[in-house]
Amino acid sequence: MTNDTDPPPDRASQLMRLITEHQRRIFGYIYTLVPDRHDAQDILQETSVVICEKFDQFRPGTDFAAWACQIAYWEVRRARQKFARSKVIFNQEVVDAIAETAAELLPEMGARHEALAKCLQKLHPRDRELLLTRYEPGSGVEEAAQRSGRSLVAAYKALARLRKLLLDCVTNQLSLEGAT
Amino acid sequence: MSLPDHELLELNALCNALADGAITATERARLEKMLAASDDARRFYVRAMALSASLFDYAGEMQADAPDLPARRIGRVPAWAWTAGSLAAAACVALAFWLGGVEKRDAASAVARAEQEGSDDSVARLSGARECRWSGAALQPGAELQPGQRIELQSGFAEITFDSGAQVTLEGPASLELGSAWDAVLHRGTLKASVPPEAIGFRISNPSVEVVDLGTEFSMVADASGATEVFVLKGAVEAHARDAAGNHLGSVVLAEKQARRFTVAGGSDVPDRDAKLAKLNRKFALDRYTRPANFVHWSFDEEAGPALAQTTGPADADFSAQLEPAGEARSAGTRTAGRWQRALLLDGRTFARAPFPGIGKRSARTVAFWINVPADAPLPDAGAMFAWSGAQGRATEIGWNRHPLDGALGTLRTAAGRNALVGSTPLRDGRWHHVAVVFSPKTKADGPVKIRQYVDGRLDGLSARRNGKRGRGAPAAKEPASAPQDVLWIGRNLAGHETAAHCRGALDELFIADRALTPPEIRHLMTQNRPLAPETLAAE
């Protein structure tokens, strides 16, 4: 631990660039371990603090997202100790197993995110609207149901159907791209 | 996806309920059970949840990009959209916590430590010793150590170098049980562990505490009563206390010069800490068992031309590689800025062949180099970086993985005969990576050759084994009977196929050593671009 409060300016801008570039993947990683948007965001904030602290240990040229996700993993563990079961809903063994799988799949996540954009374009605008309303910051299933004029049950069903559709579409999209 | 359809449907429904916050306690328990039981279920789950994470992102973007939408839909900036100001502030706050000792802080470590080694493979070797007396069978200098093996030292000092790069010096009487390249159990006695950054996450445990290294040097002393004292000589460690039943009691991060005593009843201060630290910090020399290695080195620093001369190597042999296809006016464009001076640019057509007597022999060697693969390199350009014909028609190829079933695409892949080892660090990102592949034949004459891969100095080659299976045989590793022997191919698979795949990217500083290099030697090659001199090795 050094006494310097901040990394030197070039390291600081490098840190900013890396974090901006990878925060979505880090969030995605945390969200698989702690599947609640707000809890995952809190842990992401905690993780960001540690990333800053530890940034002098990061070696340029190595995989930043993988390194950051290791930090996130420990923040998830810490969250469990601090908040008992409120944030981390799975037991530690399962969290560890998921973390391992998530780390393994990390390299493909960028491509999946990209492919999802294409798949969203293929949806009927009405379906896309429902889905994005549900995922908007501050929104939820209820609001999505209300705004689309569906019953709550119908909205849950529609969301489940759309997610499966998108999951399959992303997989197809990736295998198409892999084949070219 | 090998989950039965009904389970897949159920899993999908559970993931949906979870994503929408509508999951019941029973459903959650069921989901947990499925995730614990099946790798396929976990993969499905991770992809499904990542889809939701991406949707949060797109939905947030839509809002930010649509200022003309009705006011209620213009959301706040997502709480996790960081700004430079808040980030710097966060760093300051965290530092204040640290300095003030207000909050103990777990920190970064490696998830990869959980990687399991194949049980038939060694995970460490006895790299140094002084005045060793063993209980039971004496260990030979340089001995390869297996997972599960217990090192029983009566007196003296023994240094063990793990494949991860962590080094542990045992002081007898002591008993250490090896777990994998990433962990060991100290049953009793004193040890000192030095862990380079590449081996962060290495851990030593015993019944009362588990110590996870955060890049450092630490000592552990386990006495007969079951109490363990942990001393941090440099850096920091994370110590997890345990009770008699093995339950986790809490964690503490210990910084430099700090110490803590753990029993199954919990932690306490260490009596006579300073005196003990001073004793543990004393230096002493060990006898090392490393014979000097011979190297052939190509720097690829020539400005142009079809010849790639070796920079160092045996005086009586010429290992100069020739660029091909010959006769084409390609040689002008085959150099680029390298990791160290110039590098060889492979455009997906160019390759080189170097005469290399004995390359096919079944003997220990290390191939180390820098590689820069473009982020958009397509799968057909996953030709080998290096390839050679081996004994009994076995081929060896080092490249990046293009077989989705073997592991993550774009990671380091070494295929030797019917086996393939696939890493987990993505190489296909347009950046320079240091790669070292270590081949150590088993003592059995026709046994398999043990392969270890290091990417950027870190052990990276266990993912194929972790899934309980070796990679599938590389289709290109089947070689025709006419494949030339004693040739090192640079930038393409073995010849003989109508269309041998070629590699696209830049290659720099190829070293081939005639023995298995140790993790410190690989680290030295990576950081200094020259072999670690034997005298330096002894002094370290």
Side-chain angles (χ1 to χ4, degrees):
Chain A
M1 183 59 41
T2 70
N3 287 324
D4 296 328
T5 316
D6 296 317
D10 53 336
R11 284 288 274 177
S13 64
Q14 190 193 14
L15 172 64
M16 279 315 302
R17 186 180 56 73
L18 286 168
I19 281 184
T20 317
E21 190 183 330
H22 294 288
Q23 63 168 334
R24 186 178 40 70
R25 281 167 80 189
I26 304 166
F27 174 77
Y29 175 87
I30 296 172
Y31 185 74
T32 59
L33 303 181
V34 183
D36 174 282
R37 174 196 217 146
H38 297 291
D39 291 343
Q41 281 169 1
D42 288 348
I43 294 174
L44 181 66
Q45 290 286 13
E46 296 287 331
T47 303
S48 77
V49 172
V50 185
I51 288 175
C52 294
E53 276 176 34
K54 298 277 164 196
F55 189 58
D56 56 348
Q57 292 174 14
F58 172 70
R59 250 171 338 100
T62 58
D63 187 351
F64 179 80
W67 179 76
C69 287
Q70 287 164 11
I71 292 178
Y73 166 81
W74 286 101
E75 286 311 306
V76 170
R77 281 190 77 137
R78 222 163 64 82
R80 166 196 292 287
Q81 286 154 21
K82 224 156 117 186
F83 307 105
R85 291 186 67 88
S86 64
K87 289 198 175 206
V88 188
I89 63 158
F90 298 123
N91 72 43
Q92 190 59 46
E93 260 169 48
V94 171
V95 168
D96 284 355
I98 297 171
E100 204 174 5
T101 307
E104 222 172 87
L105 297 183
L106 201 58
E108 71 173 52
M109 288 308 168
R112 296 191 78 89
H113 183 74
E114 242 78 331
L116 177 61
K118 289 180 192 153
C119 295
L120 278 170
Q121 292 310 315
K122 292 181 190 165
L123 288 184
H124 191 283
R126 218 175 69 104
D127 287 340
R128 192 162 58 230
E129 176 76 10
L130 171 78
L131 202 66
L132 292 178
T133 309
R134 186 262 167 262
Y135 280 98
E136 265 175 30
S139 178
V141 185
E142 271 185 57
E143 190 169 352
Q146 219 172 39
R147 234 189 278 166
S148 66
R150 287 177 167 94
S151 74
L152 197 55
V153 176
Y156 277 122
K157 277 190 180 161
L159 286 168
R161 176 180 61 81
L162 290 172
R163 279 196 206 95
K164 184 72 173 76
L165 213 62
L166 288 174
L167 207 53
D168 292 343
C169 171
V170 166
T171 306
N172 285 338
Q173 189 75 35
L174 287 185
S175 62
L176 273 180
E177 282 167 13
T180 53
Chain B
M1 182 66 57
S2 60
L3 283 176
D5 282 352
H6 67 277
E7 278 193 27
L8 195 59
L9 278 174
E10 188 188 3
L11 183 60
N12 185 47
L14 291 171
C15 288
N16 272 306
L18 183 63
D20 285 332
I23 196 162
T24 66
T26 320
E27 286 171 337
R28 198 178 68 194
R30 173 64 185 149
L31 177 60
E32 193 172 71
K33 204 173 155 192
M34 290 180 91
L35 293 177
S38 155
D39 191 40
D40 286 332
R42 284 193 296 277
R43 285 170 169 266
F44 182 89
Y45 167 85
V46 166
R47 288 175 176 137
M49 298 320 279
L51 182 92
S52 274
S54 283
L55 285 168
F56 283 129
D57 195 63
Y58 283 126
E61 267 175 26
M62 293 279 291
Q63 282 193 318
D65 290 343
D68 54 347
L69 287 174
R72 68 189 170 86
R73 297 200 54 199
I74 302 171
R76 56 197 160 85
V77 177
W80 39 288
W82 298 324
T83 63
S86 71
L87 199 67
C92 296
V93 169
L95 198 73
F97 277 147
W98 179 278
L99 295 176
V102 177
E103 186 178 81
K104 70 171 198 286
R105 178 161 284 286
D106 295 357
S109 185
V111 179
R113 77 220 175 314
E115 289 171 340
Q116 297 294 314
E117 295 261 334
S119 61
D120 57 333
D121 281 337
S122 64
V123 293
R125 59 191 285 277
L126 183 65
S127 51
R130 200 178 90 172
E131 295 156 10
C132 280
R133 282 194 20 228
W134 307 95
S135 329
L139 284 174
Q140 295 308 310
E144 299 279 333
L145 307 172
Q146 315 293 324
Q149 187 168 349
R150 235 167 131 143
I151 317 296
E152 305 277 2
L153 186 64
Q154 222 172 69
S155 64
F157 298 89
E159 181 194 74
I160 295 154
T161 301
F162 288 78
D163 284 353
S164 61
Q167 285 187 315
V168 165
T169 307
L170 269 186
E171 180 177 349
S175 168
L176 183 78
E177 185 179 335
L178 306 189
S180 72
W182 295 95
D183 67 274
V185 178
L186 179 68
H187 291 289
R188 68 188 167 93
T190 300
L191 69 70
K192 187 155 122 182
S194 305
V195 181
E198 290 80 12
I200 283 178
F202 179 79
R203 58 187 173 168
I204 304 268
S205 61
N206 75 4
S208 54
V209 64
E210 175 185 73
V211 178
V212 180
D213 190 285
L214 307 176
T216 183
E217 210 172 278
F218 69 91
S219 254
M220 266 173 92
V221 182
D223 68 22
S225 73
T228 304
E229 292 176 352
V230 178
F231 301 84
V232 179
L233 309 176
K234 265 188 217 155
V237 302
E238 183 181 56
H240 305 280
R242 293 168 168 176
D243 68 11
N247 294 317
H248 185 239
L249 288 178
S251 301
V252 60
V253 170
L254 297 175
E256 194 158 323
K257 297 201 176 74
Q258 290 187 331
R260 192 93 180 135
R261 180 181 173 85
F262 296 90
T263 65
V264 286
S268 60
D269 288 339
V270 171
D272 310 323
R273 186 194 66 175
D274 292 346
K276 285 175 178 168
L277 264 172
K279 186 171 171 243
L280 291 167
N281 254 324
R282 72 195 192 281
K283 301 263 183 252
F284 49 86
L286 291 172
D287 302 325
R288 311 268 168 161
Y289 311 118
T290 308
R291 77 160 171 83
N294 297 307
F295 286 88
V296 185
H297 172 212
W298 292 262
S299 67
F300 305 122
D301 286 343
E302 300 91 352
E303 275 183 35
L308 310 165
Q310 83 264 24
T311 318
T312 55
D316 57 347
D318 182 8
F319 292 81
S320 287
Q322 291 297 318
L323 275 174
E324 298 188 26
E328 287 191 36
R330 312 182 63 80
S331 53
T334 52
R335 305 301 197 284
T336 183
R339 178 61 182 76
W340 303 82
Q341 299 188 44
R342 270 178 288 278
L344 177 62
L345 181 65
L346 299 167
D347 59 3
R349 288 191 59 195
T350 317
F351 60 94
R353 50 186 291 168
F356 201 117
I359 184 93
K361 275 207 302 219
R362 191 177 170 281
S363 60
R365 70 169 56 90
T366 303
V367 179
F369 56 94
W370 287 90
I371 181 81
N372 186 326
V373 181
D376 56 356
L379 289 183
D381 286 352
M385 298 156 192
F386 301 99
W388 62 84
S389 284
Q392 295 149 13
R394 280 183 195 155
T396 302
E397 289 173 346
I398 303 171
W400 56 267
N401 180 39
R402 56 186 277 189
H403 303 286
L405 294 179
D406 281 1
L409 291 178
T411 56
L412 183 63
R413 179 180 199 275
T414 302
R418 285 184 302 277
N419 291 331
L421 185 60
V422 179
S424 57
T425 308
L427 295 178
R428 203 168 40 147
D429 57 5
R431 295 181 180 151
W432 284 105
H433 291 282
H434 188 257
V435 169
V437 184
V438 181
F439 300 87
S440 349
K442 294 284 177 54
T443 34
K444 238 173 45 183
D446 58 344
V449 174
K450 178 188 170 188
I451 303 169
R452 274 164 294 172
Q453 299 184 149
Y454 293 82
V455 173
D456 300 320
R458 191 173 170 89
L459 186 62
D460 182 64
L462 303 171
S463 60
R465 290 182 213 170
R466 187 170 41 182
N467 297 338
K469 59 173 189 275
R470 299 269 176 173
R472 296 167 308 142
K478 281 182 285 174
E479 61 186 275
S482 61
Q485 303 286 318
D486 293 341
V487 170
L488 170 70
W489 296 91
I490 301 175
R492 63 169 285 177
N493 291 6
L494 279 171
H497 293 262
E498 55 282 16
T499 51
H502 291 191
C503 174
R504 189 187 293 269
L507 267 179
D508 202 2
E509 307 300 340
L510 167 64
F511 285 87
I512 299 184
D514 66 348
R515 69 162 163 78
L517 296 184
T518 62
E521 289 176 293
I522 289 167
R523 210 157 54 237
H524 192 271
L525 265 187
M526 175 174 83
T527 56
Q528 308 297 319
N529 197 33
R530 57 190 155 79
L532 186 58
E535 56 272 27
T536 323
L537 201 65
E540 276 198 352

